[in-house]
Amino acid sequence: MAVITRGFGAHRAARNDRLPPGQTQVEDWPVLSAGATPDVDPAAWEFVVVPESGDPVRWNWDSFRALGLEDFTVDIHCVTHWSRLGTQWRGVPLDRVFEHVDTSYDYVMAHSYGGYTTNVPLNELLDGQAWIAFEADGAPLEAEHGGPARLVVPHLYFWKSAKWVRGLRMMPQDEPGFWEERGYNLHGDPWTEERYS
């Protein structure tokens, strides 16, 4: 006859409902990159949006930040199964960027210094869902985490939050970026585990 001690199994930790399926919470901030870390001088940094007209909309470091910085706190989820909760950022919301861009295209390709690209539907970047961030945890964004500026799209896996971002190109239809061409999902929703195609 089996004897089961009272309370057996009661020590299992409750799952945090802010963690998508398959994710583990970390307190540190793992660094994962494809290729070398670019050295981008803020004095030379430029952000460019290219709409279908072909006429680019450009900002330098000061004019872009003058669009309006805001503080935001979000959870981030890496496709490699770690999540960092309550990460604090400062950056410009994409809503303010697109107040200056005339486009009817529905898709965006983000481009980074160093050549990285990733695709995101435009409607996933608007309505307070995405930012170009310059600071994290109260300090300028370190180069290894994408400084001086990175895209932050916290409701998608973190490979969509392009480090060292330098601009966006509008597209009439969806196209794969760097990791998407290598088998990652075109969309990347962590809550439905859209990791791979």
Side-chain angles (χ1 to χ4, degrees), residues 14-112:
R15 177 151 182 88
N16 189 326
D17 61 7
R18 288 165 59 187
L19 284 177
Q23 296 295 110
T24 299
Q25 183 178 350
V26 298
E27 300 300 328
D28 60 347
W29 191 351
V31 175
L32 300 170
S33 299
T37 297
D39 181 14
V40 183
D41 183 350
W45 183 83
E46 183 181 51
F47 193 81
V48 181
V49 180
V50 182
E52 56 267 42
S53 68
D55 296 327
V57 185
R58 300 176 183 276
W59 295 267
N60 63 21
W61 182 259
D62 291 333
S63 63
F64 191 86
R65 293 165 59 93
L67 292 174
L69 294 167
E70 69 178 32
D71 297 323
F72 58 101
T73 301
V74 293
D75 302 335
I76 56 178
H77 312 289
C78 181
V79 70
T80 61
H81 299 276
W82 61 261
S83 291
R84 190 169 190 254
L85 306 184
T87 306
Q88 298 178 341
W89 304 84
R90 174 171 287 176
V92 173
L94 267 294
D95 293 309
R96 294 187 187 160
V97 174
F98 277 91
E99 289 174 1
H100 304 272
V101 177
D102 183 16
T103 184
S104 62
Y105 283 178
D106 293 328
Y107 296 94
V108 172
M109 185 69 76
H111 290 261
S112 298

Side-chain angles (χ1 to χ4, degrees), residues 57-192:
V57 185
R58 300 176 183 276
W59 295 267
N60 63 21
W61 182 259
D62 291 333
S63 63
F64 191 86
R65 293 165 59 93
L67 292 174
L69 294 167
E70 69 178 32
D71 297 323
F72 58 101
T73 301
V74 293
D75 302 335
I76 56 178
H77 312 289
C78 181
V79 70
T80 61
H81 299 276
W82 61 261
S83 291
R84 190 169 190 254
L85 306 184
T87 306
Q88 298 178 341
W89 304 84
R90 174 171 287 176
V92 173
L94 267 294
D95 293 309
R96 294 187 187 160
V97 174
F98 277 91
E99 289 174 1
H100 304 272
V101 177
D102 183 16
T103 184
S104 62
Y105 283 178
D106 293 328
Y107 296 94
V108 172
M109 185 69 76
H111 290 261
S112 298
Y113 291 92
Y116 180 78
T117 58
T118 191
N119 60 303
V120 186
L122 178 59
N123 65 6
E124 305 269 10
L125 299 179
L126 303 179
D127 297 326
Q129 298 184 93
W131 298 260
I132 302 297
F134 299 93
E135 298 180 20
D137 298 331
L141 192 59
E142 296 179 11
E144 66 181 1
H145 291 303
R150 76 176 298 160
L151 178 63
V152 177
V153 192
H155 63 286
L156 299 179
Y157 280 125
F158 214 40
W159 90 79
K160 296 292 185 179
S161 296
K163 295 179 177 180
W164 316 295
V165 70
R166 66 177 174 83
L168 308 173
R169 177 174 59 86
M170 304 308 301
M171 305 186 295
Q173 53 199 357
D174 209 1
E175 298 176 14
F178 179 87
W179 281 120
E180 295 82 11
E181 288 180 339
R182 291 160 175 78
Y184 279 37
N185 190 276
L186 276 178
H187 183 232
D189 181 352
W191 293 97
T192 55

